[in-house]
Amino acid sequence: MRHLLDIDDLSPAELATILDLAEDPDPPRVLAGCGVALIFEKPSNRTRNAAEMAVTALGGHPVSIRGEEVGIGVRESPEDVARVLACYHAVLGARVDDHRTLEAMAATGAAPVLNLLSDRAHPTQALADLLTLRRLWGGLAGRRVAWVGDGNNVARSFVLAAAMSGMEVSLGSPPGYRLDPVVIDAARALGARVVEADRPEQAVAGADAVATDVWVSMGQEDEAAARLDAFAGYRVDAELMGGAAQGAVFLHCLPAHRGVEVASEVIDGPSSLVWEQASNRMHALRGLLVWVLGGGAAGHAVERSTR
Ligand code: CP
Ligand code: NVA
């Protein structure tokens, strides 16, 4: 049984396989007659809708559940929630306040557990982002991506995924908000060139893609004032994009705040791929579900041959 708590739970080859499966216009109905539980302890637009439609496309039935309904750690332990939901569902997805909740659920071995965003990581977003770039460029290896802004959950998964795909990474974050050095070491151990820049202008120089995210993530609302102060000067605007490579594209997982971490001229401009990213959340989740249920490669061939 495989889980996806962060993107490096996969090998680079498995990551590429999931991207391939995400491109399948006629995926195997690996969830026929099965349920998938989708728990959300935090709000969601893209992830809930993308996951529900991905499950439906594979013949399954998604059941979205608000965090307070199940009360993980309040009404029941994460382990008991996982064991019970696995009685009805083939896969469990959860968006959680605390990454350790996912680890506890996965440790039961009751069903595959997918991280739909935690305080630490957002691997299904990274899958969609790589799918978006691969569709644009045809390949990923040798490209250079810059992350500007908060070294947060989305950054962590994006940087690891980029490194796993043979890309170079440059990082432009203010002191105190940089990506965990453990993640940078892990990206380098994957063979990636990772450059930590002091200024966003240095980070984007020569980059083929520039990515950012909100400066205040869900659960950090109390830190908003300090964060807005620390990130002043890290907005992705047309001038900053002008320092990237010719034809560079802009990525943002959304939701976005125009005039805060990104200027309208960029997110609504011709270099922006944000709607492609949002759309690809669904395709990437479909590919992930096929893979986690063993429907890739040989399984897929069998399914097709018996149709
Ligand atoms: N990008 C993303 O995860 O969006 P939601 O929070 O709307 O799911
Ligand atoms: N970093 C953001 C991403 C939202 C999709 C958050 O955790 O709130």
Side-chain angles (χ1 to χ4, degrees):
M1 180 183 300
R2 298 293 296 274
H3 309 284
L4 186 72
L5 303 197
D6 200 355
I7 200 74
D8 59 350
D9 287 344
L10 305 170
S11 69
E14 288 168 341
L15 192 164
T17 296
I18 291 170
L19 298 185
D20 290 343
L21 291 168
E23 300 277 19
D24 188 348
D26 184 22
R29 292 174 67 81
V30 289
L31 281 168
C34 298
V36 173
L38 303 166
I39 303 170
F40 289 89
E41 292 188 335
K42 307 185 195 195
S44 172
N45 178 9
R46 280 145 291 274
T47 308
R48 175 179 169 181
N49 283 281
E52 287 199 7
M53 294 312 294
V55 169
T56 303
L58 301 176
H61 179 77
V63 177
S64 289
I65 310 162
R66 294 180 63 88
E68 60 266 31
E69 292 176 61
V70 278
I72 299 177
V74 180
R75 291 190 76 236
E76 281 179 293
S77 68
E79 291 87 350
D80 284 0
V81 169
R83 290 182 188 112
V84 170
L85 288 175
C87 297
Y88 325 119
H89 298 288
V91 179
L92 312 181
R95 167 168 288 198
V96 298
D97 294 317
D98 186 334
H99 191 80
R100 289 171 296 186
T101 299
L102 293 167
E103 293 173 337
M105 291 172 69
T108 64
V113 174
L114 308 181
N115 179 0
L116 302 179
L117 183 144
S118 69
D119 54 330
R120 186 187 303 174
H122 198 4
T124 65
Q125 180 70 50
L127 288 173
D129 296 348
L130 290 204
L131 184 61
T132 302
L133 293 175
R134 202 178 75 161
R135 282 182 166 183
L136 178 72
W137 295 332
L140 297 170
R143 293 284 184 168
R144 183 164 181 184
V145 292
W147 181 271
V148 175
D150 196 10
N152 62 12
N153 47 0
V154 176
R156 178 187 183 110
S157 299
F158 179 72
V159 166
L160 287 171
M164 290 166 69
S165 305
M167 290 195 270
E168 288 185 26
V169 181
S170 53
L171 304 165
S173 304
Y177 297 97
R178 293 191 174 146
L179 194 59
D180 185 341
V182 170
V183 180
I184 295 173
D185 288 346
R188 288 184 176 140
L190 286 159
R193 181 166 180 264
V194 182
V195 177
E196 286 186 274
D198 289 327
R199 297 291 313 155
E201 299 79 20
Q202 296 167 326
V204 304
D208 298 304
V210 177
T212 193
D213 186 15
V214 293
W215 293 342
V216 183
S217 284
M218 292 181 278
Q220 298 174 334
E221 291 78 8
D222 291 351
E223 305 170 26
R227 286 177 160 270
L228 294 180
D229 200 38
F231 287 105
Y234 285 79
R235 176 178 309 143
V236 180
D237 58 16
E239 189 181 346
L240 190 70
M241 286 300 292
Q246 185 81 27
V249 294
F250 172 74
L251 301 177
H252 192 311
C253 64
L254 305 177
H257 302 93
R258 289 169 174 77
V260 185
E261 76 275 3
V262 60
S264 301
E265 66 212 17
V266 172
I267 193 168
D268 299 319
S271 67
S272 176
L273 293 181
V274 298
W275 313 122
E276 286 84 347
Q277 289 175 268
S279 173
N280 284 333
R281 293 297 308 282
M282 179 174 65
H283 303 303
L285 275 157
R286 205 180 56 238
L288 173 61
L289 285 163
V290 171
W291 178 80
V292 91
L293 290 163
H300 195 168
V302 169
E303 161 77 16
R304 283 171 185 281
S305 67
T306 55
R307 237 177 234 167

